Amino acid sequence: MRRKIVAGNWKMNGSKDLAQTLVGFVRSQAASLDNGVEVVIIPPAIYVGDVVESAGDVLSVGVQNVGQWGSGAYTGEISAEMAVDQGCNYALAGHSERRQIFGESDEVVAEKVQRILADGLHAVVCVGETLQEREAGDAEAVVASQVQKGLAAVAPDQWQRVVVAYEPVWAIGTGKTATAQDAQAMHASIRNVLSEMGAPADEISLLYGGSVKADNAAALFAEPDIDGGLIGGASLVAEDFVSICRSVPASI
Ligand code: PGA
């Protein structure tokens, strides 16, 4: 059965205090979650150590980005190996903010995915179309291409550590969410693409992201191909994030 995952991407938000209080609260509540969801906290890298400490062995921790290199003269970057060293087991790759603001191409995303997987982390690979691409009727083709290129070099024994997050760019931080039906249709299409690539598509968790809130999570997570969510803004509010974690049905 596929893993059910709710991951909170703090982006460039948070503090040492939030790493203690919010994560401590989520950890205390996670103990009573009976839906089998894996909860992942993805803070800015500078707070990873604090979050790992607060998370204990109840929550998983990830980084938002890694360099595509092993180690060396890359001022300002952190490596996947360092994330492992600090106790992380997840890393994002290809978030639309990295693609748009930092100019990351599909090729760079693929290199980062390789690093993440080679060093033993789970890769959460983000894909999604812009509003313009959706309105032009190109959404499925754009997303399929991002999946094919970003995951081009995944080895057969690495698929079990691949997670794909579908995040329509127009839904991120805007308050606009894809309807559960539209999100489901794209997830089914992504699963199809993965299958065509020779991946064990039915075993790969597909997360939805983009303005997931406490009041719309349950409808999204009820869809058969939506295995959880990647949560931005709402992951910074402890009660909301826990409520989203509770919205995952017991069996997907
Ligand atoms: P949002 O962000 O929930 O604030 O829309 C989601 C994301 O970018 O991962």
Side-chain angles (χ1 to χ4, degrees):
M1 203 168 66
R2 293 194 289 272
R3 266 173 309 137
K4 296 168 275 182
I5 300 167
V6 171
N9 171 16
W10 289 9
K11 310 192 179 188
M12 200 172 76
N13 296 295
S15 60
K16 206 172 165 70
D17 182 56
L18 200 77
Q20 284 157 2
T21 54
L22 183 144
V23 178
F25 177 74
V26 174
R27 173 183 169 171
S28 70
Q29 298 300 301
S32 66
L33 292 173
D34 54 7
N35 54 4
V37 66
E38 179 175 0
V39 180
V40 188
I41 308 283
I42 310 179
I46 197 163
Y47 296 126
V48 157
D50 298 290
V51 169
V52 165
E53 207 180 307
S54 305
D57 55 9
V58 177
L59 310 174
S60 297
V61 183
V63 287
Q64 299 172 11
N65 179 45
V66 296
Q68 62 268 49
W69 312 279
S71 62
Y74 303 104
T75 301
E77 292 290 278
I78 60 165
S79 70
E81 202 178 351
M82 291 169 188
V84 174
D85 196 27
Q86 281 292 308
C88 289
N89 37 20
Y90 280 83
L92 298 182
H95 190 280
S96 66
E97 286 149 20
R98 299 294 316 174
R99 293 178 190 264
Q100 295 197 324
I101 304 170
F102 301 94
E104 286 186 10
S105 64
D106 286 320
E107 289 67 32
V108 168
V109 173
E111 287 175 36
K112 292 188 175 192
V113 169
Q114 277 314 291
R115 279 286 164 197
I116 290 166
L117 295 174
D119 286 325
L121 296 165
H122 291 77
V124 181
V125 186
C126 305
V127 296
E129 81 286 358
T130 62
L131 185 57
Q132 207 181 7
E133 288 162 342
R134 175 156 285 261
E135 286 174 345
D138 295 336
E140 287 201 3
V142 166
V143 169
S145 164
Q146 289 173 342
V147 170
Q148 285 158 347
K149 290 179 179 160
L151 298 174
V154 176
D157 65 342
Q158 291 178 327
W159 284 112
Q160 69 210 43
R161 285 184 288 109
V162 171
V163 175
V164 177
Y166 168 56
E167 300 203 301
V169 178
W170 48 270
I172 295 178
T174 59
K176 290 183 197 156
T177 324
T179 63
Q181 291 71 25
D182 284 348
Q184 162 59 27
M186 186 63 87
H187 281 228
S189 161
I190 291 171
R191 214 177 285 291
N192 215 18
V193 172
L194 289 168
S195 171
E196 283 165 13
M197 293 173 73
D202 284 336
E203 292 159 35
I204 296 178
S205 301
L206 304 183
L207 313 185
Y208 172 79
S211 297
V212 177
K213 307 288 177 209
D215 60 3
N216 61 18
L220 288 158
F221 299 165
E223 295 293 335
D225 286 295
I226 301 182
D227 306 310
L230 181 55
I231 320 302
S235 73
L236 295 163
V237 182
E239 288 79 6
D240 289 1
F241 187 60
V242 169
S243 162
I244 291 168
C245 295
R246 288 192 198 289
S247 302
V248 173
S251 62
I252 285 184

